[in-house]
Amino acid sequence: MSYNFLNIAATPDVRAVQAEMGTAGMWPEPGKVVEPSALGPHEKDFISERDSFYMATVSETGWPYVQHRGGPMGFLHVLDDQTLAFADFRGNLQYITAGNLRGSDRACLFLMDYTRRRRLKIYATVSLAGADESLALKEKWAAENYRAVTERIYLLNVVAFDWNCPQHIVPRYTFEQLKAHIEPVMQRLEELEAENAALRQRLQE
Ligand SMILES: Cc1cc2nc3c(=O)[nH]c(=O)nc-3n(C[C@H](O)[C@H](O)[C@H](O)COP(=O)(O)O)c2cc1C
């Protein structure tokens, strides 16, 4: 548990509910740790292995908004202990996240590893990369060879993070993960079908 995460998440209303439910004593006093959280090797590896994440922003009318982001594994790049970056691909042309970030630079990221049943929440402030940095990052990432139009590069300054428990996460596997297990079975099936056809043929002779 990152104490810093609760400094943000545990608002007075949240603390009031904790008090009502008798759990307030479980958590650190508010305001204890104010240092921004640095990502460690565990977080960096986890982030680099993701091919999707969810990103929540806040509208100027106070509504939360969450959107799924997907791309090649590692498309949410770890630039350093405190900074993440990703290319904002052209999508449905609604620009809700982009618009929300004009009013408030605050975002909450939710990263899921369904296979290993792990999840990470990240609070970040978001800024647009400047033209030079944007160009440099686009060139650096061009080798990924992913078919999408990049409209902007977002830089995410990590303010806090928190790991969640695996409870209620149903394991899911990507096609690529399953392929390694399915292919030998398919191959064996083909061999058996060929053998079966040959045996049938011999019976008819
Ligand atoms: C052709 C196309 C259509 C899409 N349609 C939708 C859609 O109807 N609803 C949605 O939530 N995302 C849709 N997406 C994905 C989003 O466009 C994408 O995640 C984008 O970043 C949305 O950002 P925003 O929700 O912040 O506006 C679509 C993407 C593409 C390429």
Side-chain angles (χ1 to χ4, degrees):
M1 161 64 64
S2 153
Y3 285 16
N4 207 31
F5 191 90
L6 274 187
N7 275 340
I8 296 171
T11 59
D13 281 340
V14 172
R15 274 190 230 110
V17 178
Q18 289 172 352
E20 285 163 27
M21 300 303 291
T23 69
M26 289 172 62
W27 309 115
E29 292 279 310
K32 269 274 164 71
V33 180
V34 289
E35 293 298 316
S37 300
L39 298 167
H42 189 39
E43 285 77 30
K44 288 178 181 177
D45 285 349
F46 183 83
I47 294 166
S48 304
E49 287 162 10
R50 303 277 61 78
D51 59 9
S52 72
F53 64 94
Y54 303 93
M55 179 169 172
T57 51
V58 191
S59 79
E60 62 197 301
T61 47
W63 284 98
Y65 176 75
V66 67
Q67 179 59 279
H68 169 271
R69 300 277 159 171
M73 185 188 285
F75 79 109
L76 179 57
H77 300 264
V78 179
L79 299 191
D80 58 44
D81 289 357
Q82 210 77 58
T83 319
L84 306 176
F86 73 94
D88 191 21
F89 302 137
R90 178 170 298 160
N92 59 3
L93 309 180
Q94 291 181 344
Y95 300 108
I96 301 172
T97 302
N100 283 351
L101 289 169
R102 289 210 173 160
S104 167
D105 64 355
R106 293 176 178 181
C108 187
L109 272 53
F110 197 83
L111 282 64
M112 291 289 299
D113 178 345
Y114 289 100
T115 311
R116 296 193 181 87
R117 303 175 67 232
R118 293 181 300 178
R119 51 188 157 182
L120 178 65
K121 298 181 290 194
I122 299 174
Y123 277 134
T125 53
V126 186
S127 59
L128 274 176
D132 288 351
E133 191 171 14
S134 185
L135 193 65
L137 289 174
K138 269 190 212 171
E139 278 175 11
K140 195 172 160 196
W141 299 340
E144 283 176 355
N145 202 21
Y146 188 71
R147 281 188 60 199
V149 178
T150 296
E151 292 190 319
R152 57 193 69 76
I153 305 279
Y154 281 125
L155 301 175
L156 293 88
N157 174 49
V158 176
V159 181
F161 62 85
D162 189 23
W163 287 94
N164 265 191
C165 71
Q167 207 175 8
H168 304 302
I169 303 176
V170 178
R172 288 180 170 81
Y173 302 89
T174 64
F175 179 67
E176 286 304 313
Q177 287 167 334
L178 290 175
K179 217 164 95 176
H181 299 279
I182 290 172
E183 267 176 359
V185 178
M186 293 306 289
Q187 201 180 332
R188 184 76 186 124
L189 188 66
E190 273 177 33
E191 286 165 11
L192 290 171
E193 278 177 346
E195 189 185 335
N196 193 38
L199 289 170
R200 279 176 185 276
Q201 179 71 33
R202 277 172 56 188
L203 278 177
Q204 285 168 6
E205 285 167 4

